[in-house]
Amino acid sequence: MSWLGKLYKTYDQAIILNEDETQPIEPVYHKSEKCHILITITEHGEFIKATSLLIEQQSKNKTIIKGTNNIIPVTPKSLTGKTSGPAPYGLAEKLHYLVHNYQEFDLLKKNYFNEYYNALTEWCSSNYSHWKAEAIKIYLQNHTIIDDLTTSKLIYIDNNNFKLKWNKKDDKPNVYQLSGFKTFGDLVITWEVYKPGYSDSSISNDMTLINSWINYQRNINVKNGICHLLGENSFCINTHPKSIIQTKEAAGSKLISTPSNTSYLTYQGRFTSPDQACQISFEASQKAHNVLRWLIKRSNALTSPQSAIIAWAVNQPNIPQPLESLDEPEALFADDWGNVDNLTLNTESASTPIEPTLDHSKDLGQRFGHLFSEKLKGKFSGAPLALTDSIVIMALDSATPGRMGVTYYRDFQPTEYLSNLEAWHLDCAWWQRASKEKQQAGKPKWYRSAPSNWAILEAVYGDIIKSNDALKKNLSERLLSSIIDKQSIPLDIMRRATHRATQRHSFKLDQQWQWEQNLGVACALYRGYAIRTLGRHYAMALETNNTSRDYLYGRLLAVAENIEQFSLDKSGEKRLTNAGRLMQRFADRPFSTWKTIELSLLPYIQRLQNTHGGFITTRKQLLDQIHSLFNSDSFNSDKALSAEFLLGFHSQRLELMTKKTTTESELDLIN
């Protein structure tokens, strides 16, 4: 129950500052619901207008029509058991709850008007009534909703059947089919109640209406047992919310569920009823589920449509996520790791450190995030980081359509979590290639950073990862221990990324940036593996004194590629170099493959000798320097290369891309 307790406490802290959130947290006895039509009335229940809330979206080359999310009041029964019978929401509802003679138009849906109207009447008759609820009640008494929607051209009746008419253009797609409605009784109607001098006419944002409904529900839901989470007499339930991960694949999954068939329950033999094994109050359950749903949504914590990994603290929801990549990765490093003048990197100075006198309880974790950022920059390491009792890491997985489980749960001290997170970003930092989309958005072509979770997924599995949710989830969870527990990089993941990085020939010429992206990820994973497992540290600049056989062979391959690529560019040829085509074979049999590559360079060297003698001279000298660092026995060996050769190859390649001499200004074009 520790995760429930943490979430329950987090809710009380988060709800205080919820006014400034673009993604509001759902109050207790409320939920977020997609609404399709908005009806505006006066305070006296007079109809003003009806407007469509449907929005058109593109998904996988298909047009999808969806409703707009609104916060609506709910009852405990309507929140968890609406499919078992009539269970009306508080105000916003489906059309077949709001039309008194609905079945005269549609036989596919039952008419639940009486249940809805009676519940609304009871609220309006209580001490917690609200004038907006009373206005809606008066409007429904007039039974004009069908005529009003028809007059507004949102629906029309043909042969006694409801149909939906798009209210913008006649040539719009058939919303009935695209929305997936089996019947238009599923259209959700929400309300606006206009009153002169009253600023907020909605039912979603009016706190007086929200509090009125909450107090009414607390009054009518009688305390019926001891909540095992709060330890006090409360209104307890045996059905709990779903849609924790708000995707189609996980929408019906619950973290806590009590099956109707009790013959196989594990409590038997120890307890006489399931309530003795686990009993939680409605408010405790909903607060915990609401804040968990809120944390997942605002943190982009999904690792697949059925799973998520989330980090938070009770007083600090805005903490760095374990699978989150840095927005400004260059800010991580203050030291000089090589000549980067020609890579157009972001070298802006760090911002002024946040003063320690700020009250972190007022900004709900922004100070915590700033402290982490400043800690990484090395500018504010003296600031106290123990601002909360603990940081919680939690992984969720919906293994079956109706069940969701907690697959990982752990409490960290803030300093331990931040230290391990910092170690991941430092140990696995390497030159990463930005995608075309990021470059077009103004990002630098090359930047230093630990690879993002998605970049690792693509580097390890390629395009197959886009359609295989199980692989996404599995790899993300395996990387989690490396990130937050400071464990070694899994050997098989590192080797698979290395193998794919050597398959340069499988990428077309216009996809070479993707290969460069995979190469950066493979180098980052091996660097992290070497630091944590082998105790070997590699600089991100070229190590000219490194005499490792694998590293030197990688440098040779980079120089060979540079010579041939330069010649191809001068002659206007567009094809992959021999070094690129033979990269995988070179990794398996470096000595024999190098002979083939070296012989293939002779025509290009002869071609460039007369026109670019300075370039050829410097490259020959570089080849000689690298050869001189080899041990003769190691050079003559055809033993397969380790992933270390990629570090040598990538470092030498970047060095040749950026370094200029007085005779080789043409090297700018090789990038």
Side-chain angles (χ1 to χ4, degrees), residues 481-492:
S481 60
S482 299
I483 297 173
I484 64 174
D485 290 324
K486 207 175 179 179
Q487 294 185 11
S488 180
I489 312 298
L491 181 60
D492 62 308

Side-chain angles (χ1 to χ4, degrees), residues 178-395:
L178 295 174
S179 300
F181 298 131
K182 295 180 180 179
T183 169
F184 287 108
D186 288 330
L187 283 172
V188 179
I189 312 297
T190 189
W191 308 91
E192 276 186 342
V193 185
Y194 175 75
K195 181 179 182 179
Y198 200 82
S199 59
D200 192 350
S201 59
S202 73
I203 66 169
S204 297
N205 304 317
D206 189 343
M207 292 306 301
T208 63
L209 178 64
I210 291 174
N211 290 330
S212 173
W213 176 256
I214 292 174
N215 292 331
Y216 171 66
Q217 287 296 312
R218 285 173 174 169
N219 181 66
I220 65 173
N221 292 310
V222 181
K223 298 177 180 179
N224 57 2
I226 299 296
C227 174
H228 292 181
L229 180 63
L230 304 180
E232 58 187 38
N233 195 27
S234 308
F235 169 62
C236 298
I237 56 172
N238 56 13
T239 56
H240 299 269
K242 55 185 179 181
S243 296
I244 300 161
I245 296 179
Q246 295 183 312
T247 61
K248 179 180 179 181
E249 293 80 359
S253 299
K254 293 184 177 183
L255 272 171
I256 307 173
S257 60
T258 303
S260 56
N261 184 358
T262 60
S263 60
Y264 57 88
L265 292 181
T266 56
Y267 73 81
Q268 291 187 349
R270 300 184 182 185
F271 305 105
T272 58
S273 68
D275 294 343
Q276 296 174 346
C278 178
Q279 184 168 257
I280 303 172
S281 68
F282 174 81
E283 288 203 26
S285 175
Q286 198 190 11
K287 285 182 177 181
H289 284 82
N290 283 2
V291 78
L292 179 57
R293 189 183 300 113
W294 177 69
L295 288 168
I296 292 173
K297 185 187 298 183
R298 71 198 299 268
S299 301
N300 297 318
L302 295 186
T303 56
S304 76
Q306 299 94 358
S307 58
I309 297 175
I310 185 71
W312 85 94
V314 171
N315 299 316
Q316 310 276 3
N318 293 336
I319 67 171
Q321 297 299 308
L323 301 182
E324 179 182 32
S325 58
L326 296 177
D327 292 332
E328 297 181 2
E330 275 303 303
L332 180 61
F333 305 102
D335 58 335
D336 182 11
W337 282 6
N339 180 11
V340 298
D341 293 340
N342 295 303
L343 292 181
T344 63
L345 295 170
N346 180 10
T347 56
E348 295 180 1
S349 58
S351 58
T352 304
I354 304 299
E355 294 298 329
T357 55
L358 288 180
D359 184 0
H360 63 272
S361 65
K362 292 295 194 298
D363 64 358
L364 203 62
Q366 291 182 10
R367 170 173 160 76
F368 198 77
H370 282 301
L371 286 173
F372 173 64
S373 178
E374 294 301 326
K375 184 175 188 293
L376 293 181
K377 296 172 188 174
K379 305 273 185 187
F380 210 59
S381 58
L385 292 174
L387 300 178
T388 58
D389 294 332
S390 63
I391 292 175
V392 179
I393 312 296
M394 184 172 171

